[in-house]
Amino acid sequence: MWAPADTVVRKAAGSDNLPVTWADDDAMYITWGDGWGFEPKVQKKLSMGFARIIGEPSNFKGINIRSAAEQYGGGRSGRKGWGLISVEGVLYLWMGHADRHGGQSQLAWSVDHARTWTFADWKFSQFGLMGFVNFGKDNDQARDDYVYSYSHDGPLADTPADGFILMRVQKNRVNERESWKFFERIDQTGQPVWTSDLKHRGVVFQHTDECLRSAMTYNAPLRRYLWWQQIPAPKGSLDRGDTRFEGGFGVYDAPEPWGPWSTAFYTEKWDIGPGEHGDFPAKWMSEDGRELYLVFSGGDSFSVRKATIVLKRDD
């Protein structure tokens, strides 16, 4: 259940994308795109900027972080932040539009809370919308010693795919391309099989022509993974990834990041603009996991809306 639309809190007007992670210093960090960030806004529009979020969902503050890694350029020509995670004090970032033409993904990392960044010298040319599975504060609720990532199975950030892929890497080797393994299939015992060969990758979620932007967070109290997935704009739209002001999304849950997935919520037209990215930050989940907040880019801003989970056994 969603709180009334008039309770939505909006800040950073004119900025979108907005992946979020909960870091070791108890703050949340985000990237924001195609805008000017939080008040006081930066003077020149950025393709990708950084910010620190402190406080509670009803009374939070966003603080822009100026960095030499800020990106310029409009639309496909500017690199964007698609996914963030904090692991043992290090922020890792998946940047999209790495080829400056709307495709590919590139990794970057920061050891000083987004002030300076190191860019990997390699890219994933096959995936255009990569994100991280977030597990609590500084990844402290991780299921194992791996960092997990996902992407729609396509190279372009504005072109839907038929499925999502999953990949993982040991947490101390995130910046090593050769260390990443890809989900291939579930074996006869119900366990995932991983491969180093991209050509053998499988999908963990299928939805024909509907897989595009998304974000996954582990809800530790409920021991479920929550996967927010955008419903792309209709075929023929100028940008099928643009649902800032109108559109829908699904929220799916599963016991493992590879599934099996159930539909928790689905709408083709939300009562307000859903944005092109949505996140359920673990920092803003209640102790029982039933109250949480969606951070989304609806209305082209950093928007926050409360949600309440109703479990089937409560019906």
Side-chain angles (χ1 to χ4, degrees), residues 32-72:
W32 45 266
D34 292 333
W36 300 265
F38 293 86
E39 298 286 352
K41 295 185 176 184
V42 302
Q43 290 186 335
K44 188 173 182 179
K45 185 177 182 179
L46 299 178
S47 174
M48 182 179 71
F50 306 93
R52 184 172 186 258
I53 309 296
I54 56 175
E56 297 306 312
S58 60
N59 185 28
F60 66 89
K61 182 179 181 180
I63 305 165
N64 294 325
I65 301 171
R66 304 313 304 267
S67 170
E70 292 171 350
Q71 299 293 305
Y72 296 89

Side-chain angles (χ1 to χ4, degrees), residues 10-16 33-34 244-245 276 297-303:
R10 300 184 191 273
K11 297 187 179 183
S15 300
D16 56 22
D34 292 333
R244 291 170 297 169
F245 303 102
E276 75 279 77
S297 57
D300 208 27
S301 61
F302 185 96
S303 303

Side-chain angles (χ1 to χ4, degrees), residues 1-209:
M1 297 189 299
W2 300 101
D6 60 7
T7 65
V8 174
V9 178
R10 300 184 191 273
K11 297 187 179 183
S15 300
D16 56 22
N17 296 329
L18 310 171
V20 59
T21 194
W22 185 10
D24 60 310
D25 62 353
D26 204 38
M28 296 193 300
Y29 289 84
I30 70 165
T31 65
W32 45 266
D34 292 333
W36 300 265
F38 293 86
E39 298 286 352
K41 295 185 176 184
V42 302
Q43 290 186 335
K44 188 173 182 179
K45 185 177 182 179
L46 299 178
S47 174
M48 182 179 71
F50 306 93
R52 184 172 186 258
I53 309 296
I54 56 175
E56 297 306 312
S58 60
N59 185 28
F60 66 89
K61 182 179 181 180
I63 305 165
N64 294 325
I65 301 171
R66 304 313 304 267
S67 170
E70 292 171 350
Q71 299 293 305
Y72 296 89
R76 288 184 165 201
S77 66
R79 284 185 285 201
K80 319 287 185 185
W82 291 148
L84 273 171
I85 194 170
S86 178
V87 181
E88 297 183 350
V90 180
L91 291 175
Y92 294 96
L93 164 68
W94 284 121
M95 296 179 296
H97 296 188
D99 63 357
R100 306 284 186 165
H101 297 288
Q104 303 186 1
S105 294
Q106 184 177 8
L107 183 72
W109 57 93
S110 172
V111 298
D112 57 6
H113 295 120
R115 294 175 181 84
T116 61
W117 293 84
T118 301
F119 287 24
D121 60 2
W122 50 269
K123 301 173 185 176
F124 277 117
S125 61
Q126 301 86 354
F127 309 124
L129 279 170
M130 298 188 66
F132 290 102
V133 182
N134 270 263
F135 292 88
K137 180 181 179 180
D138 201 35
N139 214 42
D140 65 354
Q141 295 166 348
R143 68 181 309 282
D144 49 33
D145 288 331
Y146 289 88
V147 170
Y148 289 80
S149 283
Y150 52 83
S151 177
H152 84 314
D153 196 7
L156 297 175
D158 59 3
T159 303
D162 295 335
F164 285 100
I165 63 97
L166 184 71
M167 50 197 288
R168 73 177 190 176
V169 68
Q170 290 179 321
K171 65 181 181 181
N172 60 340
R173 295 185 173 181
V174 178
N175 58 359
E176 300 175 8
R177 165 62 185 88
E178 64 276 9
S179 296
W180 284 89
K181 310 291 185 183
F182 307 91
F183 173 88
E184 181 177 349
R185 57 184 171 84
I186 297 294
D187 67 17
Q188 293 181 343
T189 68
Q191 296 303 307
V193 176
W194 303 91
T195 177
S196 298
D197 190 343
L198 259 173
K199 292 182 293 185
H200 291 163
R201 69 184 182 275
V203 296
V204 294
F205 191 101
Q206 289 181 293
H207 195 176
T208 303
D209 196 47

